[in-house]
Amino acid sequence: MANVVVVGAQWGDEGKGKIVDWLSERADVIARFQGGHNAGHTLVIDGTVYKLHALPSGVVRGGKLSVIGNGVVLDPWHLISEIETLRGQGVVITPETLMIAENTPLILPIHGELDRAREAQNSVAKIGTTGRGIGPAYEDKVGRRVVRVADLADAATLELRVDRALIHHDALRRGLGLPPVDRDALISNLRDVADEILQYAAPVWKVMTEARKAGKRILFEGAQGALLDIDFGTYPFVTSSNVIAGQAATGVGLGPGAIDFVLGIVKAYTTRVGEGPFPTELLDDDGQRLGERGHEFGTTTGRKRRCGWFDACLVRQTCATSGVNGISLTKLDVLDGFETLKICVGYDLDGKVLDYLPTAADQQARCKPIYEEMPGWSESTEGARSWAELPANAIKYVRRVEELIDCPVALLSTSPEREDTILVRDPFAD
Ligand code: IMP
């Protein structure tokens, strides 16, 4: 039995939703281990579109256990409304099918306000966040002043936790010109949702340990992408969690040995939302064309994504930091019809050739991509379900990507439809 971690290997939006859904059908437990409702996974099942932000993709399938691990930051009001929307679509969600770690930190309205107030300053502090309060909630977690799911169970503890957080927040808010927090209203709003949330609360580390012992198949569902990782991403233009695969274990309370296969999701070109360096970004017609053909608009914020050529240098790096065993290459069909394709194989930094992206922000900004050119293909690859259906140049492109990133293709996705997938190596069979 293999446990599989799915991580984005670029800046997010690699098409994880479809692959996670494809794999979740064969898993028993699906667990989120980082991030929050900044994520946006769209699933299309039998013609119905489900949009998930905080919930693991497994919830839309019957007979699975969905888990929100301690590595996640959870907005309780958002979760309740997401559950209601899905119930309206006929999805059954009960404490037997959804469990939330008791030690999961909560995102409060003050986190969203702080996130948006900082972004609105439009200064050097601007990151281009989703405005969902993700960063401030993680700050409070490591600052030891966050309210966690378990705190909702006891009125006195809850008040104590809120007061602890507000000492910090009221001082910050004064500096930003925001009014002080209405403490009593915040506590009362938390009390209103406490029972609803607590019915799903569980010692997730224990549940996961038992699931492992019972030989259940676990799918760890990553959000965002490795280049947004708080340690290994393009800091400070990153999200506030560890996104890379090692987080899957800590983010639910299992040891590192729980992970058997890391599947990196890789788009056949590159996109990013928000601010920050992007060496292969295209500001020309080719970039426009990738965006249009790839429908590159954010699921969570609707923002237009920046687009560029495939950066093999970056993906080699993220495959290394996540220990990726195989990749799922997505959206190859978006490259159909380009006469020539470019792949970034290294960077020119002030005349020196680098085979990795340096850490210093000023150096990242000066890195000029070194491209290798490959002939494109005029045929359509959309919907291909076997290698035989792919044009020779498309196969060459995929093979070259594998060589350059030093990692094999396990799955190839050729359209949003789940059946339009070429399976090379089954991650669960390892
Ligand atoms: P935050 O996670 O809202 O703090 O945003 C930090 C950075 O991560 C911004 O550049 C966001 O655009 C980016 N980001 C956060 N979540 C996602 C995602 O699910 N897909 C792509 N980018 C994301």
Side-chain angles (χ1 to χ4, degrees):
M1 288 294 168
N3 297 328
V4 177
V5 182
V6 171
V7 286
Q10 290 150 314
W11 276 292
D13 312 313
E14 297 91 353
K16 288 185 287 297
K18 167 182 155 174
I19 306 297
V20 164
D21 176 47
W22 195 86
L23 290 168
S24 72
E25 198 179 21
R26 313 165 63 215
D28 303 302
V29 182
I30 297 98
R32 281 281 308 268
F33 56 88
Q34 50 73 229
H37 64 312
N38 49 349
H41 290 173
T42 305
L43 307 179
V44 187
I45 301 175
D46 299 331
T48 309
V49 179
Y50 302 95
K51 287 195 188 289
L52 302 173
H53 295 281
L55 286 163
S57 299
V59 288
V60 296
R61 303 206 163 267
K64 315 276 174 196
L65 173 62
S66 291
V67 167
I68 296 181
N70 54 281
V72 167
V73 280
L74 183 71
D75 180 326
W77 298 276
H78 170 88
L79 184 80
I80 290 169
S81 94
E82 195 171 316
I83 290 175
E84 269 168 20
T85 306
L86 288 174
R87 283 196 179 131
Q89 291 185 284
V91 176
V92 177
I93 299 172
T94 67
E96 280 69 49
T97 63
L98 173 67
M99 289 186 189
I100 305 173
E102 295 163 324
N103 48 347
T104 303
L106 297 182
I107 303 179
L108 305 179
I110 52 175
H111 295 128
E113 279 173 42
L114 183 58
D115 192 357
R116 293 187 293 274
R118 283 176 179 156
E119 289 288 301
Q121 284 183 314
N122 211 10
S123 64
V124 287
K126 192 170 163 67
I127 304 287
T129 72
T130 58
R132 301 273 166 115
I134 306 294
Y138 276 116
E139 285 168 36
D140 280 0
K141 171 182 174 172
V142 295
R144 293 164 291 193
R145 55 174 175 265
V146 88
V147 181
R148 309 199 297 180
V149 167
D151 300 327
L152 295 170
D154 179 68
T157 309
L158 182 61
E159 290 196 20
L160 214 66
R161 291 285 178 271
V162 168
D163 286 338
R164 197 178 166 89
L166 294 195
I167 293 170
H168 176 83
H169 277 271
D170 277 336
L172 253 182
R173 291 167 69 93
R174 264 196 302 280
L176 285 163
L178 293 172
V181 179
D182 184 341
R183 170 193 183 269
D184 294 344
L186 176 57
I187 292 172
S188 146
N189 290 340
L190 280 166
R191 287 235 184 93
D192 288 347
V193 292
D195 288 346
E196 180 90 30
I197 297 295
L198 283 169
Q199 61 176 317
Y200 304 109
V204 155
W205 65 270
K206 195 166 182 287
V207 172
M208 296 297 279
T209 303
E210 282 157 11
R212 240 196 116 202
K213 278 196 188 144
K216 305 270 190 216
R217 287 177 165 187
I218 304 170
L219 177 65
F220 297 90
E221 178 180 0
Q224 291 87 46
L227 294 167
L228 291 169
D229 183 89
I230 187 73
D231 288 305
F232 292 101
T234 46
Y235 193 92
F237 303 102
V238 291
T239 192
S240 294
S241 62
N242 277 118
V243 171
I244 56 174
Q247 171 64 17
T250 0
V252 298
L254 287 174
I259 298 163
D260 300 300
F261 192 96
V262 179
L263 183 71
I265 314 296
V266 176
K267 188 147 47 180
Y269 51 99
T270 315
T271 61
R272 116 164 264 180
V273 198
E275 313 295 313
F278 182 173
T280 62
E281 182 169 18
L282 291 168
L283 300 167
D284 58 7
D285 289 350
D286 284 340
Q288 184 80 12
R289 178 163 162 191
L290 287 173
E292 278 164 18
R293 287 189 54 101
H295 310 291
E296 298 295 354
F297 294 92
T299 335
T300 302
T301 58
R303 288 181 290 177
K304 198 171 168 191
R305 298 178 187 141
R306 298 154 68 191
C307 297
W309 294 121
F310 185 73
D311 191 334
C313 211
L314 277 182
V315 175
R316 186 168 57 238
Q317 200 162 323
T318 58
C319 282
T321 52
S322 269
V324 172
N325 300 102
I327 65 159
S328 172
L329 193 67
T330 62
K331 297 183 107 169
L332 184 69
D333 54 294
V334 173
L335 300 180
D336 293 354
F338 276 96
E339 205 166 305
T340 305
L341 298 168
K342 290 185 183 176
I343 301 182
C344 172
V345 295
Y347 306 111
D348 177 333
L349 177 66
D350 308 330
K352 206 172 130 201
V353 174
L354 296 185
D355 65 355
Y356 69 100
L357 190 70
T359 302
D362 64 308
Q363 294 186 3
Q364 288 183 351
R366 289 203 308 283
C367 273
K368 294 199 177 61
I370 299 170
Y371 285 118
E372 186 175 288
E373 290 197 1
M374 294 197 72
W377 53 89
S378 51
E379 305 91 326
S380 167
T381 61
E382 196 183 340
R385 294 183 186 186
S386 70
W387 287 105
E389 291 173 55
L390 293 178
N393 281 350
I395 296 176
K396 280 187 195 152
Y397 183 82
V398 176
R399 293 298 181 217
R400 188 64 186 137
V401 165
E402 287 181 312
E403 265 171 24
L404 289 168
I405 66 171
D406 196 20
C407 194
V409 167
L411 295 163
L412 196 70
S413 160
T414 55
S415 99
E417 296 296 325
R418 58 201 317 272
E419 286 73 27
D420 295 341
T421 306
I422 301 172
L423 177 65
V424 183
R425 180 178 172 193
D426 183 352
F428 272 128
D430 266 59

